[in-house]
Amino acid sequence: MNNLDKSYQSLLQDILDNGVEKKDRTGTGTISVFGRQIRHNMKDGFPLLTTKKMAWKTMVTELLWFLRGDTNIKYLVDNNCHIWDGDAYKNWVLKNSEPDQYWLTQEQFINRIKTDDEFAKKWGELGPIYGKQWRKWNCLDEGFVNLKEGEEIEVDLNYINISHQVDQIANLINDLKTNPDSRRLMVSAWNVGELDQMVLPPCHYGFQVYTRELTWEEQVQWVMKNTNVEMENLYIVEEIAKDSTPKRAISLMWNQRSVDTFLGLPFNIASYGLLLEIIAKEVNMVPDELIGNLGDVHLYNNHIEQAELLLTREPFELPRLIINDEFWDHEHQTIDGWINGMEIGDFTLDGYQSHPTIKAPLSN
């Protein structure tokens, strides 16, 4: 049963019924509610909306980009993912607004990113956004500046040395394998010391995972679902369950300060669903529950008609995710070896049926 689309439709209706008008940085205007939650049981299928066609490969590309620690749109553009084009172009416009500057349209700008490596290196960079914080969180030497109370000094930032960088994804995987009951299984993208260097502060600013032991019945059900052994061969099922089945379930909860409900949220749900599946695969656990805690949940004024159209549609059944990890680095010599082994084509959907695309403008 597809409860995900129904929950999403209920959220849209909630905003239409109860949203208050709010101004926003883009100048578009929104109707907004505050403090909502989306929950999905992964056993019900992969959480990709069916009430409008979703750009699956685009979403996969962005998540792999995050996991690689990349913050330059070159990888996205080269893989036909354009959801960050507007932010990069806006940054270029702001920094090249003098009358004597050669002006580029956004299309010309993206073509330069594709074809000019030096241009892409400089202007494709978005600052220390998600991937940087997930994989390379900067840490200063402990006690680098030791001031007496009331004392002030000027610090030249060009000469501050970063003592080390924290790979939060690597730490998360290690902790899940060695201490799965920890209450500190968290990854944050909200680095307050670097927000002003980002083209856009993180909307989904952190996530936490939680694991529990599977019951014996759940282990047996897993064997029956994921092997060709029939229930009549209960002895064989139970023997497999003893040896090779996952012994834990894993859930993921993400927190989001700002939610573009029509365009952004369906991507966020599917992206964190995929992240949960990837982590579960790596640590040999069963994906359990996906939860989104949502702050300012809004519809842009130019998305209202689209939301009303989506509300008229009946959901289809959710698809099933198939992961091909044949060429992943299972020896895990390095975390990069594992992550960089993932390709966009490793993630396919079985049985995805949806209503047609509903186009809506993106506000940057």
Side-chain angles (χ1 to χ4, degrees):
M1 182 176 181
N2 180 357
N3 291 316
L4 175 71
D5 277 275
K6 291 295 186 183
S7 296
Y8 178 72
Q9 289 175 317
S10 295
L11 183 59
L12 290 178
Q13 191 65 61
D14 181 10
I15 300 170
L16 291 171
D17 292 342
N18 303 306
V20 298
E21 293 184 6
K22 291 192 69 176
K23 298 177 182 178
D24 69 285
R25 65 176 176 82
T26 72
T28 308
T30 69
I31 53 173
S32 166
V33 295
F34 184 67
R36 299 296 189 266
Q37 190 178 77
I38 285 280
R39 302 184 77 103
H40 173 69
N41 191 322
M42 297 295 286
K43 288 186 292 188
D44 293 340
F46 187 79
L48 191 69
L49 289 190
T50 68
T51 42
K52 65 173 180 176
K53 186 173 180 60
M54 296 290 297
W56 168 246
K57 289 186 177 180
T58 296
M59 189 276 298
V60 175
T61 303
E62 184 194 42
L63 179 62
L64 295 188
W65 181 64
F66 290 161
L67 286 171
R68 289 167 182 252
D70 200 347
T71 57
N72 192 296
I73 66 167
K74 173 71 171 169
Y75 173 84
L76 300 178
V77 169
D78 287 347
N79 286 284
N80 200 32
C81 175
H82 297 285
I83 54 181
W84 284 88
D85 287 5
D87 295 287
Y89 179 66
K90 183 179 179 181
N91 181 57
W92 179 85
V93 169
L94 289 173
K95 295 178 179 178
N96 292 273
S97 58
E98 297 300 322
D100 60 343
Q101 294 285 345
Y102 173 63
W103 201 253
L104 299 174
T105 64
Q106 182 167 318
E107 183 179 357
Q108 291 169 330
F109 172 81
I110 295 304
N111 190 58
R112 285 285 298 277
I113 295 291
K114 289 180 181 178
T115 59
D116 186 335
D117 288 344
E118 286 301 313
F119 184 86
K121 184 177 180 180
K122 181 176 182 180
W123 296 112
E125 181 56 48
L126 301 174
I129 60 169
Y130 300 98
K132 168 67 163 55
Q133 305 306 333
W134 285 14
R135 301 294 313 282
K136 302 168 187 175
W137 182 294
N138 287 341
C139 295
L140 298 178
D141 289 315
E142 185 176 357
F144 181 81
V145 179
N146 186 13
L147 300 179
K148 296 178 182 178
E149 185 176 354
E151 185 179 357
E152 295 182 1
I153 63 170
E154 287 189 10
V155 179
D156 187 341
L157 296 179
N158 293 319
Y159 293 96
I160 290 182
N161 293 320
I162 303 301
S163 64
H164 65 284
Q165 293 182 320
V166 175
D167 188 334
Q168 295 188 83
I169 298 297
N171 288 349
L172 175 66
I173 297 300
N174 179 70
D175 291 345
L176 281 167
K177 291 179 177 179
T178 59
N179 187 17
D181 283 323
S182 172
R183 296 188 291 269
R184 303 176 183 180
L185 303 171
M186 300 176 65
V187 170
S188 177
W190 194 261
N191 186 337
V192 295
E194 296 186 339
L195 291 179
D196 61 350
Q197 302 171 44
M198 305 176 189
V199 296
L200 182 67
C203 293
H204 42 101
Y205 59 87
F207 66 91
Q208 179 178 357
V209 298
Y210 172 94
T211 80
R212 63 175 178 85
E213 292 185 353
L214 290 169
T215 66
W216 175 248
E217 290 76 13
E218 286 176 318
Q219 292 179 49
V220 170
Q221 289 172 4
W222 186 92
V223 173
M224 294 173 58
K225 181 179 179 181
N226 293 277
T227 70
N228 294 321
V229 180
E230 299 294 335
M231 184 61 186
E232 288 74 13
N233 299 314
L234 184 59
Y235 173 77
I236 298 176
V237 170
E238 291 181 342
E239 287 301 307
I240 294 174
K242 286 179 184 177
D243 296 331
S244 58
T245 64
K247 299 300 186 285
R248 282 183 173 265
I250 181 170
S251 297
L252 184 150
M253 177 175 68
W254 85 91
N255 296 306
Q256 190 160 345
R257 64 172 180 86
S258 176
V259 187
D260 175 353
T261 309
F262 192 78
L263 285 182
L265 182 58
F267 259 69
N268 301 137
I269 295 170
S271 181
Y272 278 106
L274 179 57
L275 180 61
L276 175 56
E277 291 272 6
I278 290 172
I279 293 172
K281 190 83 169 177
E282 168 63 10
V283 299
N284 193 31
M285 296 183 187
V286 177
D288 198 5
E289 192 170 19
L290 180 69
I291 305 163
N293 292 322
L294 312 176
D296 186 320
V297 187
H298 52 266
L299 276 172
Y300 283 102
N301 290 338
N302 53 5
H303 293 172
I304 291 175
E305 289 185 7
Q306 292 90 332
E308 291 172 340
L309 172 60
L310 188 142
L311 286 170
T312 66
R313 296 176 169 181
E314 282 297 317
F316 295 103
E317 287 299 307
L318 292 176
R320 184 170 68 96
L321 176 67
I322 300 174
I323 299 178
N324 176 20
D325 63 343
E326 180 182 359
F327 300 108
W328 297 8
D329 175 16
H330 293 290
E331 298 300 322
H332 312 312
Q333 300 299 320
T334 66
I335 189 75
D336 283 325
W338 165 55
I339 289 175
N340 291 339
M342 298 179 196
E343 299 291 342
I344 298 165
D346 292 342
F347 306 95
T348 57
L349 296 172
D350 180 38
Y352 182 53
Q353 184 179 7
S354 74
H355 291 270
T357 301
I358 302 177
K359 294 185 178 181
L362 177 64
S363 295
N364 290 120

